[in-house]
Amino acid sequence: PANKEGKHPSILPATSESIPAAVDALHRGEVIAVATDTIYGLAVDAANEEAVQKIYRIKGRDKQKPLAISVGSLTSLEEYGMTNTLPDNLLGQLLPGPVTVVLRRNLQCQRLSSSMMNDTIALRIPNTKFMQKLARDFGGALALTSANLSGEPSCKRIRDFEGLWKSIAVILQDVEMENDAKRLTLGSTIIDLSRAGEYRILRKGEQDIVKDIQKLLADRGLHENA
């Protein structure tokens, strides 16, 4: 069983065998830590208001800053965000990948905690089979944010956020990723696509990725609103 706050977390490998323990923790409203395609993240059930508030508390995060949600597929993403104003298959060209897209929230979707019921929603599909399977097996959206105190550096190894362990039930460690010298070390690039025909970069990730995104969006007829 996962540990309660104040104890050491269960540290498991980021493999499919560990997913049931992670899903159980999420259903209980616990916080898990997980390797994404960029840095380590903290995740909770995005429909559980108490769990979402727990992440804000752990990180010391400004309540005015919405969390992103992570889903397992483009089909799931469309349940949460409105894609009707976007060029065909634009999201399929951007995702999965180290990109967070901000869309107008699909008002028909009620499977979110009240603090995530904003006009827009930030959506992510990390480019790891593990994260995608975790979201699919969980059967809902995961509220996802970086595993660090707000304003502190991003974490590439689980030891980097050891100060938060007491509040985490399960850590899903990807040792191969931790040891990969070529891995991405910045958070995802956040792009606002909520207005038809334009985009705005809200946060830049790796420089090469930002350039590729800007070229793709220009090629697809969107202009940058800086």
Side-chain angles (χ1 to χ4, degrees):
N3 306 309
K4 291 184 177 166
E5 201 158 321
K7 307 278 185 184
H8 281 296
S10 304
I11 301 176
L12 304 173
T15 59
S16 54
E17 291 78 16
S18 303
I19 286 179
V23 168
D24 282 350
L26 290 166
H27 282 310
R28 286 199 309 274
E30 302 275 13
V31 179
I32 67 168
V34 64
T36 71
D37 53 354
T38 54
I39 52 183
Y40 273 96
L42 299 177
V44 295
D45 176 0
N48 183 328
E49 179 65 23
E50 201 176 316
V52 168
Q53 291 305 322
K54 203 183 280 188
I55 276 198
Y56 279 104
R57 197 169 62 246
I58 290 167
K59 283 178 61 78
R61 185 180 173 90
D62 180 353
K63 295 268 176 79
Q64 302 305 309
K65 286 186 174 179
L67 301 174
I69 71 168
S70 179
V71 294
S73 68
L74 286 170
T75 308
S76 295
L77 183 146
E78 289 173 3
E79 290 177 35
Y80 295 93
M82 301 293 288
T83 60
N84 56 322
T85 61
L86 298 177
D88 285 349
N89 196 39
L90 175 65
L91 293 181
Q93 292 178 281
L94 290 168
L95 300 167
V99 177
T100 300
V101 295
V102 176
L103 302 175
R104 283 180 303 120
R105 185 169 64 82
N106 184 347
L107 300 180
Q108 291 179 315
C109 178
Q110 299 299 316
R111 292 196 303 161
L112 288 171
S113 71
S114 56
S115 62
M116 303 192 84
M117 292 285 195
N118 301 307
D119 292 340
T120 58
I121 189 163
L123 292 144
R124 179 117 154 74
I125 307 176
N127 192 21
T128 76
K129 293 278 188 287
F130 178 79
M131 279 292 292
Q132 292 167 39
K133 182 168 170 49
L134 174 62
R136 286 196 303 271
D137 287 6
F138 173 61
L142 305 175
L144 182 68
T145 184
S146 55
N148 57 350
L149 289 171
S150 284
E152 294 290 315
S154 303
C155 297
K156 308 173 196 70
R157 296 178 174 79
I158 66 170
R159 292 278 168 203
D160 297 343
F161 57 92
E162 199 167 354
L164 306 182
W165 284 15
K166 66 182 183 298
S167 305
I168 299 169
V170 177
I171 295 175
L172 298 148
Q173 183 178 26
D174 187 334
V175 175
E176 195 176 319
M177 185 188 77
E178 290 189 9
N179 294 327
D180 181 1
K182 294 180 184 166
R183 65 173 291 210
L184 302 175
T185 55
L186 294 176
S188 64
T189 297
I190 303 177
I191 317 163
D192 186 344
L193 295 171
S194 63
R195 294 167 70 104
E198 65 180 54
Y199 73 92
R200 203 154 59 97
I201 294 179
L202 304 181
R203 183 181 76 190
K204 293 184 176 182
E206 302 285 343
Q207 194 173 359
D208 290 350
I209 291 169
V210 174
K211 284 182 182 168
D212 289 347
I213 290 168
Q214 287 173 309
K215 182 178 186 314
L216 168 65
L217 296 175
D219 288 349
R220 297 303 309 272
L222 275 66
H223 68 269
E224 183 167 9
N225 178 355

